[in-house]
Amino acid sequence: MEGDVLWHPSEDRITRSNLVRYLDWLRRHRGRTFEGYDDLWAWSVEDLEGFWSSIADFFELRWHRRPDAILPDRRMPGAVWFPGGELNYAEHALALRDEGTAVRFGDEAGALGSITRGELVRRVGAAAEGLRRLGVRGGDRVAAFVSNVPEALIAFLATASLGAIWSSCSPDFGVRAVTDRFRQIEPAVLIAVDGYRYGGTGYDRLPVLAEIRRELPTLRATVLVSCLRDELSAAELDGAMRWDELVSEPAEPDPVPVPFEHPLWILYSSGTTGLPKAIVQGHGGILLEHLKSLSLHCDLGPEDRFFWFTTTGWMMWNFLIGGLLLGTTVLLYDGSAGHPDLGALWRFAEATGVTYFGTSAPYLHACMKANIRPRGLADLSALRSIGSTGAPLSPEGFRWVYEAIDGDVLLGSISGGTDLCTAFVGSCPLLPVRTGEIQCRCLGARVEALGPDGTPVIGEVGELALTAPMPSMPTGLWNDPDGSRYRESYFDVFPGVWRHGDWLTVTEHGGCVIYGRSDATLNRGGVRIGTSEFYRVVDGFPEVRESLVVDTGALGHEGRLYLFLALAEGAALDDRLRARIAAELRSQLSPRHVPDEMLAVPDIPKTLNGKRMEVPVKRILSGVPVEEAASPGAMADPEAIRPFVEFARRLTAEEGASPQVGPVRPS
């Protein structure tokens, strides 16, 4: 049953947790005691100044200039954090300089390597010196078109140490996706790989890179990392610098003190319509948030080996490398999670002694559907925690983890977003894990489910909102001088309140359930459900590889419910399968949620970050031209949208209207 307890932390695990150590520190240094986690959370979101100053002190932030205040203005948008304070993120990430392991890295071919903390410091120092020679100064943008390799991490820390601003895209992004992002920020230097390997195949990206460089007129230099070739010829370099040249002169890192809100990096929204939002986050806000989240919620420390399956184009890469702030060994994996089979990541976990294994809910669901038993594939005796994000993890997924891994493992389903580069609902080492539920609202994150009138509700589905500011909220959007796009993106529905765009239930015992995007909800005859509930039923069929459901209804009128199915190899969408799916939806959800039409499609369109494009497809089916509904540069595969465009044309033709849907322009 949903809500059933699957796991309890042992007394020993609780006692040894960082969160208990923090509670003891609060008692000794602040004279504060709490009845339990809920009491602690309530204090953390009511006394924002007291909580966040305690985080800064508990983790001993290295101030070059102490702040004049904590939070003199808590308005949203526009909250001001730690004014006058100066520090540097990279200085904290490089604080340990011994010969312990800072980074372990591997790829789908099974190659493994490692970098000690002292070696990482030396490499970052050399890279920073190389960037200085290229003229990079504080505030300049360094863009990266890179795989999840050590050079990416080194380049980021070097950039941050100089007070320059980092921004990265994965090398599987197309030209349009990259230039839509990087042209906005006018980078001075581009760091890029010559290619990458995925699924056993090598992909040469030099032709794509040449196009990207032509589209970025502000570039002063390009640095090439050899990932596909042993050596780059002069012709292949095409005026670029080799990575080895960049790091040829040894130097000690000398992090530049910057204001608390000085830009650290620029991340990008999914950007399903228009240009992606270029989200700016500051050194201090990210530093505080990641120290809190990774230590107190993920329970990481210097003895841990922290892994998350991600690319450099997803915020989870930024979250992962935050492990360095705690002295945790960070594990980088470059390649496919499914090559040569779905056991690849579990074998990587064994080879590297992973203690925290982070991945996406779709990967866990894929392992479940393939009947994989990780404990039978690999030695996971070091494993203490599993993290899941990117989509809601179904109750069946929760149960599979505990059945298939069969160990003393905390399953931390988490949710947040690129917009804050963190999870604001997540795991807690003091609380039980319940089927289908995220354990808690995170400390310092005033997450609430708001009803239609904007008041918080408990035990009911509401709009996920943040009703108090957090330090890692964007300092703004790039090229948004009056803040209008920022306000429209997050504060357009509830003034002064951050509306995140998801459906949420906060349970009576403080847990959370995310139901998917609130603008893609299925409202049939007044009965609302989130799309995650729908996918839980449909994606459970072995014939279904993946699905996408769209309700074309709007306020004041009921539309039609369409179910699109990407089928498993050898499966066919015949009347028997349609009837089975309909019966299961009628039984598990409601008769109202049986689709009006089911259609087979080759693939489900997704964003570059792997999210199903429900809202853009809904807009296309409602008659919005495709170029307005979905930017091809924001899609993992622009061709996947074509069947939906053709279906929209069919609908408009049947209704006697001229087609309003234009052609798809590939990136």
Side-chain angles (χ1 to χ4, degrees):
M1 292 285 292
E2 291 188 39
D4 287 351
V5 173
L6 289 168
W7 176 87
H8 273 291
S10 67
E11 285 301 318
D12 181 65
R13 184 159 183 161
I14 290 172
T15 302
R16 292 172 179 269
S17 69
N18 295 327
L19 190 49
V20 163
R21 187 165 57 86
Y22 171 64
L23 286 166
D24 183 60
W25 184 93
L26 285 174
R27 179 184 57 79
R28 289 184 291 108
H29 292 272
R30 298 291 177 90
R32 301 296 310 237
T33 58
F34 300 94
E35 293 298 319
Y37 181 81
D38 287 347
D39 191 26
L40 174 66
W41 177 81
W43 168 73
S44 77
V45 297
E46 290 163 5
D47 184 3
L48 294 176
E49 295 84 354
F51 172 70
W52 288 107
S53 65
S54 79
I55 294 297
D57 291 347
F58 177 70
F59 289 105
E60 300 179 342
L61 258 60
R62 296 167 177 244
W63 296 107
H64 286 260
R65 183 182 184 278
R66 296 197 68 84
D68 303 319
I70 307 303
L71 182 61
D73 187 346
R74 60 165 64 191
R75 288 178 301 170
M76 290 196 293
V80 177
W81 291 96
F82 295 89
E86 292 185 356
L87 39 62
N88 188 289
Y89 175 102
E91 181 177 2
H92 292 77
L94 300 172
L96 295 179
R97 303 194 171 196
D98 56 34
E99 293 310 299
T101 304
V103 181
R104 295 202 73 186
F105 54 95
D107 59 29
E108 62 180 30
L112 289 174
S114 64
I115 302 173
T116 67
R117 292 166 181 152
E119 185 181 356
L120 179 63
V121 170
R122 293 187 288 273
R123 291 195 189 187
V124 170
E129 179 60 28
L131 290 174
R132 281 193 197 96
R133 292 197 307 273
L134 294 176
V136 174
R137 299 291 182 265
D140 285 346
R141 277 76 66 204
V142 175
F145 183 61
V146 287
S147 307
N148 193 11
V149 292
E151 289 85 353
L153 173 56
I154 292 163
F156 158 66
L157 291 173
T159 299
S161 75
L162 298 175
I165 306 167
W166 175 261
S167 192
S168 61
C169 286
S170 174
D172 57 351
F173 283 20
V175 173
R176 174 93 174 266
V178 176
T179 56
D180 276 355
R181 287 157 172 76
F182 289 166
R183 279 179 65 90
Q184 294 186 66
I185 67 171
E186 299 179 310
V189 172
L190 175 66
I191 298 172
V193 294
D194 62 335
Y196 66 95
R197 297 186 187 279
Y198 189 88
T201 301
Y203 294 89
D204 183 5
R205 301 305 272 169
L206 287 182
V208 170
L209 181 59
E211 292 186 57
I212 291 169
R213 293 170 68 185
R214 284 194 292 270
E215 292 290 322
L216 300 177
T218 58
L219 287 181
R220 300 199 293 264
T222 299
V223 181
L224 270 177
V225 179
S226 297
C227 286
L228 203 59
R229 298 162 175 82
D230 293 331
E231 185 67 29
L232 288 158
S233 69
E236 289 169 330
L237 283 168
D238 190 23
M241 170 190 286
R242 292 184 177 89
W243 174 263
D244 289 348
E245 295 176 71
L246 180 77
V247 298
S248 60
E249 295 185 19
E252 280 290 309
D254 185 20
V256 175
V258 296
F260 187 87
E261 293 199 335
H262 182 81
L264 172 64
W265 55 46
I266 298 171
L267 305 179
Y268 303 92
S269 69
S270 297
T272 52
T273 60
L275 286 176
K277 295 193 298 290
I279 299 165
V280 184
Q281 288 155 344
H283 275 246
I286 290 297
L287 181 58
L288 276 183
E289 173 58 38
H290 285 187
L291 284 168
K292 177 215 75 176
S293 188
L294 293 167
S295 175
L296 304 186
H297 288 281
C298 297
D299 202 30
L300 294 172
E303 302 304 315
D304 283 296
R305 292 168 295 281
F306 178 38
F307 169 67
W308 212 290
F309 179 68
T310 181
T311 71
T312 59
W314 188 21
M315 59 139 291
M316 292 309 298
W317 183 83
N318 306 70
F319 190 76
L320 167 65
I321 61 181
L324 295 172
L325 302 171
L326 301 167
T328 300
T329 299
V330 168
L331 306 175
L332 309 177
Y333 183 87
D334 186 34
S336 168
H339 181 78
D341 54 58
L342 284 170
L345 296 187
W346 303 111
R347 291 189 291 271
F348 177 74
E350 175 184 359
T352 54
V354 168
T355 60
Y356 192 110
F357 180 97
T359 186
S360 66
Y363 175 74
L364 295 177
H365 286 145
C367 288
M368 178 180 70
K369 288 190 76 168
N371 200 31
I372 284 175
R373 291 293 181 263
R375 281 288 184 196
L377 291 175
D379 178 3
L380 302 178
S381 56
L383 189 64
R384 298 192 308 115
S385 299
I386 290 180
S388 171
T389 193
L393 183 64
S394 68
E396 291 81 5
F398 272 76
R399 286 191 286 268
W400 172 83
V401 166
Y402 283 100
E403 292 166 359
I405 291 176
D406 187 29
D408 182 22
V409 173
L410 190 165
L411 171 56
S413 180
I414 67 174
S415 186
T418 301
D419 321 80
L420 292 90
C421 198
T422 192
F424 39 63
V425 292
S427 60
C428 176
L430 311 186
L431 299 175
V433 173
R434 298 173 184 270
T435 307
E437 287 188 20
I438 296 171
Q439 284 177 286
C440 65
R441 293 177 280 185
C442 294
L443 298 175
R446 192 165 192 139
V447 173
E448 297 186 283
L450 301 185
D453 61 354
T455 58
V457 295
I458 298 292
E460 300 176 23
V461 177
E463 285 270 7
L464 192 162
L466 290 163
T467 57
M470 293 177 64
S472 69
M473 282 179 172
T475 59
L477 304 181
W478 198 262
N479 289 333
D480 182 31
D482 63 357
S484 58
R485 193 179 184 201
Y486 182 38
R487 289 191 298 274
E488 290 165 4
S489 297
Y490 306 107
F491 302 98
D492 62 336
V493 175
F494 304 112
V497 170
W498 175 293
R499 172 185 173 267
H500 199 65
D502 285 332
W503 289 121
L504 167 75
T505 293
V506 178
T507 67
E508 299 288 347
H509 46 262
C512 296
V513 181
I514 303 283
Y515 296 99
R517 298 295 298 171
S518 57
D519 45 10
T521 189
L522 309 177
N523 184 1
R524 311 295 294 170
V527 179
R528 289 176 176 268
I529 66 164
T531 54
S532 66
E533 297 175 89
F534 201 95
Y535 298 139
R536 179 184 165 193
V537 175
V538 176
D539 291 356
F541 282 81
E543 296 92 339
V544 176
R545 180 160 43 88
E546 204 163 24
S547 62
L548 187 143
V549 62
V550 173
D551 181 359
T552 63
L555 187 65
H557 80 89
E558 185 149 312
R560 290 177 66 79
L561 191 65
Y562 296 106
L563 175 60
F564 300 93
L565 301 163
L567 298 171
E569 187 174 352
L573 183 56
D574 53 21
D575 289 344
R576 185 169 177 272
L577 180 56
R578 284 188 173 92
R580 287 169 55 217
I581 291 173
E584 194 69 8
L585 288 167
R586 185 178 290 107
S587 168
Q588 298 296 323
L589 299 181
S590 80
R592 296 178 177 87
H593 290 90
V594 173
D596 296 297
E597 194 165 349
M598 301 185 202
L599 302 100
V601 292
D603 285 297
I604 299 302
K606 296 180 183 176
T607 68
L608 291 166
N609 291 338
K611 298 182 185 297
R612 302 183 226 215
M613 295 178 63
E614 297 161 332
V615 176
V617 169
K618 177 176 179 175
R619 297 186 72 208
I620 288 169
L621 298 190
S622 299
V624 175
V626 68
E627 60 269 20
E628 295 178 19
S631 167
M635 303 181 207
D637 176 11
E639 291 301 309
I641 204 75
R642 284 190 179 276
F644 299 86
V645 174
E646 294 303 322
F647 181 59
R649 286 186 174 134
R650 192 192 92 189
L651 292 179
T652 54
E654 288 175 354
E655 293 168 2
S658 59
Q660 301 180 42
V661 184
V664 175
R665 296 190 301 269
S667 59

